[in-house]
């Protein structure tokens, strides 16, 4: 299944929907007590997901009409996550191009919830704070049930689904501060979407392809199989010291091809458009404005 938070033009509150092809079925149109968002669904546990899946399948089988997605606006694919955890330097090529050390332990930091935004959103940043805004294609992992001290072999059983993440970064701040949260947590600097695809439709998370286009130019093009630490290893590692709660978003790192390392460097500018594609999930587009 593919879940999205969608809203009608002019409305500020998104509603949880299941998408199929070019259409969307709002859950509150077929369920009297529908979960208000994906976090609500996950908080209610696996039984709630089974109930929603069965009722949606029944509605679709009986020809319930879908709303064309082109008439709707996306919000972030995840809302109200209990935590946004980012994994740094998780592709050797990206670590090398940014001249980051390859540590024995994983590089872990948090992203702030104000940074979340959706597909086709417009982000902005003050020109007097940064003119080195960079893109990073990442596979996002959404935890489906509490994960504590899980093994690598069992870790993927705790995944609800996957989404596309653009981990946007102000590079001048990143390399002038000891931590990475602020440089990546400007308002809107963590676009996600357009959908969350349930784990059963993805299969092996180390077998998807990530591509980044900036203003029509391909700048990143790599397999998730190039990760230094696999999704299962990341989940197991994090769960050794803290319980990963349902709805937790883990951004698993970016492959090589960042704009900072290019000669000449390629940074996002006023009017830039970034589209990140991960096969089996979809395309996440972000528009840029310098203020």
């Amino acid at each position: 299944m593919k879940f999205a938070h969608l809203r009608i033009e002019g409305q500020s509150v998104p509603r949880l929907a299941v998408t199929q092809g070019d259409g969307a079925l709002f859950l509150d149109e077929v369920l009297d007590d529908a979960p208000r968002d994906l976090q609500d669904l996950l908080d209610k546990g696996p039984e709630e997901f089974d109930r929603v899946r069965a009722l949606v399948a029944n509605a679709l089988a009986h020809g319930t009409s879908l709303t064309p997605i082109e008439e709707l606006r996306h919000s972030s694919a995840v809302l109200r996550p209990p935590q946004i955890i980012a994994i740094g330097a998780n592709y050797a090529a990206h670590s090398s191009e940014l001249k980051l050390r390859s540590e024995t332990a994983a590089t872990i930091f948090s992203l702030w919830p104000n940074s979340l935004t959706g597909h086709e959103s417009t982000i902005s940043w003050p020109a007097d704070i940064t003119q080195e805004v960079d893109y990073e294609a990442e596979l996002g992992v959404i935890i489906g049930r509490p994960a504590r001290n899980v093994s690598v072999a069992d870790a993927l059983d705790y995944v609800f689904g996957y989404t596309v993440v653009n981990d946007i970064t102000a590079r001048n701040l990143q390399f002038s501060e000891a931590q990475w949260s602020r440089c990546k947590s400007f308002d809107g600097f963590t676009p996600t979407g357009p959908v969350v695809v349930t784990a059963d439709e993805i299969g092996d998370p180390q077998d998807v392809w990530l591509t980044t286009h900036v203003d029509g130019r391909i700048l990143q093009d790599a397999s998730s199989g190039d990760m230094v630490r696999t999704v299962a290893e990341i989940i197991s590692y994090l769960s050794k010291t803290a319980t990963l709660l349902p709805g937790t978003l883990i951004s698993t790192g970016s492959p090589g091809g960042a704009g900072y390392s290019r000669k000449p460097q390629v940074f996002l500018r006023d009017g830039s458009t970034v589209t990140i594609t991960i096969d089996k999930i979809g395309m996440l587009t972000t528009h840029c404005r310098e203020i």
Side-chain angles (χ1 to χ4, degrees):
M1 296 181 72
K2 297 179 174 66
F3 289 91
H5 295 111
L6 299 166
R7 62 190 188 279
I8 297 171
E9 182 71 43
Q11 294 184 348
S12 59
V13 179
R15 297 151 63 195
L16 184 61
V18 170
T19 68
Q20 187 174 75
D22 296 327
L25 176 66
F26 287 105
L27 295 190
D28 57 15
E29 293 180 349
V30 295
L31 304 175
D32 291 335
D33 54 348
R36 63 190 178 100
D37 56 22
L38 186 61
Q39 189 61 45
D40 190 24
L41 185 153
L42 294 173
D43 286 342
K44 291 178 178 178
E47 297 81 7
E48 176 69 357
F49 173 61
D50 291 341
R51 183 183 76 96
V52 167
R53 179 169 52 187
L55 291 171
V56 167
N58 181 68
L60 294 175
H62 286 82
T64 301
S65 61
L66 304 180
T67 303
I69 293 176
E70 65 180 12
E71 299 177 3
L72 304 170
R73 297 292 177 266
H74 286 81
S75 294
S76 176
V78 293
L79 298 174
R80 304 186 301 114
Q83 178 68 285
I84 310 169
I85 302 171
I87 309 299
N90 198 34
Y91 288 74
H94 188 54
S95 301
S96 175
E97 70 186 4
L98 295 184
K99 296 180 174 56
L100 301 173
R101 293 185 303 173
S102 181
E103 306 286 1
T104 301
T107 299
I108 302 166
F109 54 97
S110 292
L111 300 175
W112 302 344
N114 59 282
S115 68
L116 291 171
T117 193
H119 172 57
E120 289 286 2
S121 63
T122 297
I123 65 165
S124 63
W125 61 88
D128 61 341
I129 293 179
T130 182
Q131 294 187 2
E132 297 184 2
V133 179
D134 210 346
Y135 52 85
E136 290 188 5
E138 307 206 5
L139 176 66
V141 179
I142 297 91
I143 298 297
R145 57 191 177 99
R148 177 72 174 96
N149 199 28
V150 302
S151 68
V152 173
D154 294 335
L156 294 184
D157 294 339
Y158 292 81
V159 175
F160 175 80
Y162 301 89
T163 193
V164 184
V165 177
N166 186 356
D167 181 24
I168 298 172
T169 307
R171 295 293 185 200
N172 61 312
L173 297 187
Q174 180 180 22
F175 295 116
S176 66
E177 300 179 348
Q179 52 74 39
W180 294 355
S181 292
R182 190 171 83 102
C183 68
K184 295 171 177 282
S185 294
F186 287 35
D187 290 342
F189 266 30
T190 312
T192 72
V195 295
V196 170
V197 181
T198 52
D200 59 297
E201 295 196 11
I202 298 297
D204 182 2
Q206 308 311 138
D207 188 28
V208 295
W209 202 267
L210 300 84
T211 306
T212 300
H213 288 77
V214 177
D215 298 327
R217 178 184 175 190
I218 297 179
L219 298 179
Q220 291 182 295
D221 195 32
S223 169
S224 60
D226 295 336
M227 288 183 189
V228 174
R229 298 170 183 86
T230 67
V231 171
E233 289 170 337
I234 290 167
I235 293 170
S236 177
Y237 182 82
L238 294 173
S239 75
K240 300 299 183 185
T241 52
T243 301
L244 299 176
L245 298 174
T248 296
L249 172 63
I250 304 172
S251 197
T252 57
S254 185
Y260 179 87
S261 62
R262 292 181 172 273
K263 296 181 180 180
Q265 292 178 317
V266 178
F267 292 122
L268 303 180
R269 299 298 185 194
D270 188 49
S272 290
T273 297
V274 186
T275 297
I276 294 174
T277 304
I278 301 182
D279 58 353
K280 303 181 186 178
I281 302 175
M283 296 188 300
L284 170 67
T285 295
T286 304
H287 306 285
C288 301
R289 183 174 174 232
E290 189 177 75
I291 57 176

